[in-house]
Each structure stands twice: as structure tokens, then as C-alpha cells.
Amino acid sequence: NIHIYLESLYFIVATICTVGYGDISPKTSDETTFIIFLQIIGLAAYSLVMGSILSTKSVDTVKSIQE
């Protein structure tokens, strides 16, 4: 049954993204698929923003060390 595997994937992605399981959770396979997709997009966006911030900070640190 594909629904069991989809629920397992939802549990894994929700755990990795640390968004929790919440009071409102998906009920159908379509909802679960959509939520998994949104969580992965959110995780990628967060990683991109944090990577940009940390990259800028590390460049500033290297410049201050070189001076």
C-alpha cells in the first residue's frame, strides 16, 4: 500500500525539517504529498538564506584577519 510509504516519508521529512507534527496534519495522500513538497522547499530556502548569511560573515572575518 503506497499510503503507508507516503506516511513514513511524511514522518521522516517532518522530523528532519523540525516543523513537528502539529494539531493539523494531512489526511489524504494528496495533502501529504503537498506538505512534503512544501517542507522540502522551506528547508531549501532556509538553507540558502543561512548559507548566504554565513558566507558573508566568513568573508568579513577573513578580510579583518588579513588586515
Side-chain angles (χ1 to χ4, degrees):
N1 190 356
I2 192 78
H3 189 69
I4 294 171
Y5 294 109
L6 191 58
E7 290 293 321
S8 300
L9 181 62
Y10 168 73
F11 177 76
I12 291 168
V13 172
T15 302
I16 290 172
C17 294
T18 65
V19 294
Y21 312 107
D23 297 332
I24 301 171
S25 59
K27 304 291 186 240
T28 66
S29 295
D30 291 337
E31 291 173 351
T32 304
T33 303
F34 182 69
I35 294 300
I36 290 170
F37 176 73
L38 282 181
Q39 288 174 346
I40 291 173
I41 294 298
L43 183 62
Y46 178 77
S47 299
L48 179 68
V49 169
M50 291 305 294
S52 296
I53 291 170
L54 292 174
S55 174
T56 302
K57 182 66 177 163
S58 65
V59 167
D60 291 344
T61 302
V62 168
K63 285 181 181 178
S64 67
I65 291 173
Q66 290 176 347
E67 292 174 350

